[in-house]
Amino acid sequence: MSDTFSLLSLCGSYFNKESKQNSNQKCKLSNPHALVVHCCLALAAIAACLKSEGGFSASVILTSSQKKQRSRLSVLAQLSSVDDTVKSCLQPHCASAMLALSSLVSLENGGQTRSSLCETALALFPRMATLHTLLKLWLSDGSEALCRYNAGLLNLFGLRDGSIGMLETRLKWGGPLAIEQASSVGIPQILIRLLTDGFSKETSDGKGGSTNRSGLSPLGVVWTLSALSQCLPGGVFREVLYRREHLKLLTELLSDIHLKALAAWTGLGGGKRGVRELINAVVDILAFPFVAVQSSPNMPSASASINSGFLLNVASPGGRIGTENKEMLKTIEQNMPQYIQVLLEV
């Protein structure tokens, strides 16, 4: 790990515009961009495998030294270069750096409280407005051509996974303000477009074969669903859950053909565990209204029910509505018949 971050730091110095002339004299790297891609993908793959095992913190890779943690996270943030020129993030070396940063911090996402390492990482993450601009660029025509040219990073990750991972972490740990910011600039709608792009029936490479234009791997799809789920308490649940086409999109993710393909996928995010994570992510969204109503102060405790609430994923964001927003809860209760009707239709 130490050698990997030393190489990344060297590449970061090479890319630094202020010291580029000096770097060219000292650095003999023939292809630093490719080196960054391979180092970052290695970090992301290791982090993903550690997370699949469970019980690991990002400190396993970043060390327990807060100084080293910040230094190593700063190197990845610098290589992401999100705040310098957002358009540069469409390049594979920037996308892979964002992916490594997101994957490392995702090791901390299992806890209920925000760790000091998360605090450090969030300070280095781009602002919500920058992430919004980046996601819009990913949906532009130019990025579509790039995704077709380089549909995956070594066939393990999608080019857009990293930016989605950053967004998911900022939404999870940013509190109500982050959710409000994301909803106000239309990020939930962009997330739906990304998912729709991946399931487009018109997606083709012109030779009779299909092409993944979404640029999302199985891990990226789960991160996208998680980010969308985090946005629901901001009020966008009306647009996401009360529209037939959006519910149809979510149920297509659980179709036999998709689940069989995911189960057969030998890469990260596939297999039985990948299927389970996808189903949980979709159910977290679909169960949002039910969990919100079940968590109402006027309802019996979920722990007192016959299934202890596990069937309805009581850990989903809907569990906070009853105590945080009574008006929203009232709206959800009133529209429950409409929601159930749309669910039955799809």
Side-chain angles (χ1 to χ4, degrees):
M1 291 296 100
S2 179
D3 290 340
T4 300
F5 280 103
S6 294
L7 282 172
L8 290 174
S9 181
L10 181 63
C11 292
S13 299
Y14 183 84
F15 295 149
N16 192 318
K17 294 179 181 180
E18 296 179 357
S19 60
K20 189 170 184 180
Q21 186 175 358
N22 294 331
S23 295
N24 284 335
Q25 296 174 356
K26 298 178 182 179
C27 182
K28 301 300 182 181
L29 296 174
S30 60
N31 194 343
H33 293 85
L35 187 58
V36 169
V37 170
H38 285 279
C39 286
C40 288
L41 291 184
L43 289 173
I46 292 169
C49 290
L50 288 174
K51 187 169 184 179
S52 68
E53 295 295 327
F56 290 98
S57 164
S59 60
V60 173
I61 295 176
L62 299 174
T63 80
S64 57
S65 166
Q66 290 190 356
K67 183 178 180 181
K68 277 194 175 183
Q69 287 178 3
R70 181 167 185 83
S71 173
R72 293 182 174 187
L73 290 172
S74 297
V75 168
L76 293 174
Q78 177 194 349
L79 292 171
S80 300
S81 66
V82 177
D83 289 322
D84 295 331
T85 51
V86 176
K87 286 187 178 180
S88 69
C89 295
L90 300 182
Q91 299 301 318
H93 71 279
C94 293
S96 61
M98 284 189 284
L99 175 63
L101 191 56
S102 301
S103 299
L104 287 172
V105 180
S106 72
L107 287 170
E108 301 290 305
N109 281 357
Q112 297 299 315
T113 57
R114 199 162 79 180
S115 65
S116 60
L117 196 151
C118 278
E119 297 280 0
T120 301
L122 284 176
L124 298 170
F125 275 25
R127 295 172 297 131
M128 190 66 73
T130 307
L131 287 172
H132 171 252
T133 303
L134 178 58
L135 291 175
K136 286 184 67 176
L137 277 173
W138 276 128
L139 288 168
S140 66
D141 293 337
S143 74
E144 182 181 313
L146 178 62
C147 281
R148 283 201 299 266
Y149 177 73
N150 188 359
L153 296 170
L154 292 186
N155 295 323
L156 288 176
F157 302 99
L159 281 168
R160 298 170 181 170
D161 288 354
S163 53
I164 292 294
M166 282 185 165
L167 172 65
E168 195 260 350
T169 298
R170 185 164 282 290
L171 285 169
K172 181 165 185 175
W173 298 117
L177 178 60
I179 296 173
E180 182 180 343
Q181 290 173 340
S183 300
S184 65
V185 296
I187 281 180
Q189 291 76 13
I190 293 178
L191 295 176
I192 290 174
R193 285 185 61 192
L194 280 173
L195 292 171
T196 305
D197 216 24
F199 269 79
S200 174
K201 299 296 186 297
E202 299 175 358
T203 301
S204 172
D205 60 6
K207 300 178 182 179
S210 62
T211 302
N212 179 11
R213 292 171 54 226
S214 73
L216 295 173
S217 73
L219 285 175
V221 170
V222 171
W223 279 347
T224 303
L225 291 168
S226 177
L228 185 60
S229 178
Q230 297 297 328
C231 289
L232 294 180
V236 297
F237 68 90
R238 299 177 183 85
E239 184 174 346
V240 174
L241 296 179
Y242 294 168
R243 293 180 60 176
R244 189 180 186 279
E245 61 270 26
H246 291 164
L247 281 185
K248 183 66 175 175
L249 168 66
L250 293 173
T251 56
E252 282 182 351
L253 288 170
L254 302 182
S255 65
D256 285 345
I257 186 171
H258 186 226
L259 292 182
K260 287 179 180 178
L262 185 59
W265 174 249
T266 57
L268 298 169
K272 291 183 179 180
R273 181 182 177 86
V275 170
R276 183 169 63 250
E277 289 180 345
L278 174 68
I279 292 175
N280 280 337
V282 172
V283 173
D284 273 342
I285 297 176
L286 297 181
F288 177 83
F290 298 106
V291 176
V293 172
Q294 183 175 266
S295 303
S296 168
N298 300 326
M299 293 288 289
S301 172
S303 60
S305 66
I306 190 169
N307 57 37
S308 299
F310 292 124
L311 182 63
L312 297 184
N313 286 27
V314 291
S316 75
R320 302 193 300 265
I321 298 299
T323 56
E324 294 180 0
N325 194 327
K326 293 183 179 179
E327 287 299 318
M328 185 179 294
L329 177 62
K330 185 177 180 181
T331 301
I332 292 173
E333 290 177 332
Q334 290 175 345
N335 288 277
M336 186 61 79
Q338 174 192 348
Y339 177 59
I340 293 175
Q341 180 60 38
V342 176
L343 269 182
L344 290 173
E345 290 177 4
V346 301

